[in-house]
């Protein structure tokens, strides 16, 4: 499991996850993911490299979305594999965290959530 | 619970230790069987997910405070109806995941519980989930969905 974080500017961070978000994978990325969620106003999460998502991965997403919300921040997910998206929808995560199809939509949405219009 | 005699053919069995890092051994064993048997994607994903969730529970909570050695065995069967069935047997404390209620969908992220989704996922991604306690063992039977939904 890998994570790569990129600051897109204006308090928006892109976190690209890749691999299996199972109990081992979640453990490997949780510290860096939490650090990104502590520092940004909006975390845009690229799930296009995630091939498997278990409940521990849902826990990781919800815990950090919650932390962001406490600071009036937001999380946006995009690029879900169909089975991964089914996991998110069947557990109601889609009611709590925005899910969009593409990076363009995610970054566009981020721009409406931060003062000054999002990434430069 | 499908009795072994009526369960069809045993594809493979695996014994794992009661450690979190053994879960990946089990899911990759199942992944190899899926590759070899050319299972439908929904069967494979649902069974891998459910095996991961079930073993996470067994290994995290099943053996705390027990004096005897943990024994966790997993079997994979193909039934005469062409279903893939995974059976997990463990000698940990009695735990019936089929009695766990689905968490309420919260109104907002602030109210959301961050855990408790494992059993809900198993129900959603399997054709059936059944449990039996016999001979001091938990026996959990996961029946894979035959095809897309």
């Amino acid at each position: 499991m890998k994570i790569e974080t990129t600051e897109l500017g204006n308090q928006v961070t892109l976190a690209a996850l890749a691999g299996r978000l199972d109990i081992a994978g979640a453990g490997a990325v949780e510290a860096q993911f939490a650090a990104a969620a502590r520092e940004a106003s909006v975390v845009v999460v690229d799930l296009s490299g995630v091939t498997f998502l278990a409940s521990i991965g849902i826990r990781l997403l919800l815990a950090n979305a919650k932390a962001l919300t406490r600071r009036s921040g937001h999380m946006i997910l995009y690029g879900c594999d169909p089975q991964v998206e089914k996991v998110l929808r069947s557990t109601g995560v889609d009611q709590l965290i925005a899910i969009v199809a593409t990076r363009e939509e995610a970054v566009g949405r981020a721009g409406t959530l931060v003062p000054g219009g999002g990434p430069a | 619970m499908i009795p072994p005699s009526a369960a069809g053919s045993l594809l493979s069995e695996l014994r794992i230790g009661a450690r979190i890092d053994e879960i990946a051994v089990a899911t990759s064993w199942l992944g190899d069987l899926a590759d070899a048997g050319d299972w439908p994607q929904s069967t494979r994903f649902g069974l891998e997910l459910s095996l991961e969730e079930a073993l996470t529970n067994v290994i995290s909570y099943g053996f705390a405070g027990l004096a005897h050695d943990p024994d966790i065995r997993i079997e994979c069967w193909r039934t005469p109806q062409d279903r893939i069935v995974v059976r997990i047997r463990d000698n940990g404390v009695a735990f019936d995941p089929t009695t766990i209620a689905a968490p309420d969908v919260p109104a907002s992220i602030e109210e959301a519980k961050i855990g408790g989704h494992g059993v809900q996922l198993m129900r959603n991604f399997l054709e059936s989930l059944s449990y039996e306690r016999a001979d001091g063992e938990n026996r959990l039977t996961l029946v894979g969905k035959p095809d897309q939904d």
Side-chain angles (χ1 to χ4, degrees):
Chain A
M1 187 78 207
K2 285 185 190 156
I3 178 169
E4 199 176 313
T5 58
T6 312
E7 287 181 32
L8 299 180
N10 205 9
Q11 288 290 300
V12 179
T13 293
L14 172 70
L17 298 173
R20 290 171 60 89
L21 208 38
D22 54 13
I23 197 156
V29 300
E30 69 186 340
Q32 199 177 338
F33 194 67
R38 264 196 307 273
E39 284 157 23
S41 292
V42 181
V43 177
V44 173
V45 184
D46 178 0
L47 290 174
S48 60
V50 173
T51 54
F52 184 83
L53 175 65
S55 65
I56 193 84
I58 291 172
R59 187 184 280 257
L60 177 82
L61 295 172
L62 285 178
N64 286 288
K66 237 177 156 153
L68 275 161
T69 304
R70 276 197 292 272
R71 298 189 298 104
S72 305
H74 303 271
M75 181 178 285
I76 303 167
L77 312 177
Y78 78 91
C80 302
D81 155 281
Q83 298 284 357
V84 166
E85 184 157 348
K86 204 173 145 199
V87 170
L88 295 169
R89 294 197 185 281
S90 72
T91 49
V93 172
D94 61 316
Q95 314 277 316
L96 304 169
I97 303 175
I99 303 175
V100 299
T102 65
R103 175 175 171 154
E104 288 67 35
E105 286 171 80
V107 173
R109 177 84 67 98
T112 67
L113 297 171
V114 289
Chain B
M1 187 90 186
I2 296 170
S5 56
S9 52
L10 178 65
L11 300 178
S12 181
E13 54 192 322
L14 178 74
R15 182 171 257 161
I16 62 166
R19 296 194 315 272
I20 289 294
D21 61 357
E22 293 275 273
I23 296 173
V25 172
T27 53
S28 105
W29 164 81
L30 195 69
D32 289 346
L33 291 173
D35 284 341
D38 202 18
W39 301 353
Q41 181 58 23
S42 54
T43 306
R44 178 194 183 132
F45 191 93
L47 285 173
E48 256 189 69
L49 180 61
S50 301
L51 182 60
E52 165 97 17
E53 300 297 346
L55 291 177
T56 298
N57 286 336
V58 168
I59 292 173
S60 301
Y61 310 112
F63 297 100
L66 293 188
H68 60 258
D69 286 340
D71 186 21
I72 304 172
R73 281 167 294 156
I74 310 159
E75 299 164 358
C76 184
W77 296 77
R78 185 186 286 276
T79 71
Q81 298 76 30
D82 215 25
R83 296 290 192 276
I84 305 294
V85 175
V86 173
R87 304 171 75 207
I88 305 165
R89 302 162 73 155
D90 72 81
N91 61 349
V93 294
F95 173 63
D96 179 358
T98 65
T99 61
I100 303 292
D104 295 331
V105 174
S108 70
I109 184 80
E110 291 91 333
E111 296 163 27
K113 275 179 61 184
I114 61 165
H117 296 288
V119 175
Q120 185 185 14
L121 284 173
M122 287 194 251
R123 282 207 188 91
N124 281 326
F125 281 80
L126 292 174
E127 185 167 84
S128 73
L129 172 69
S130 55
Y131 172 84
E132 163 180 87
R133 178 83 182 176
D135 302 329
E137 289 182 339
N138 296 303
R139 296 175 182 171
L140 192 64
T141 301
L142 319 174
V143 180
K145 288 194 176 181
D147 211 332
Q148 291 303 316
D149 286 319

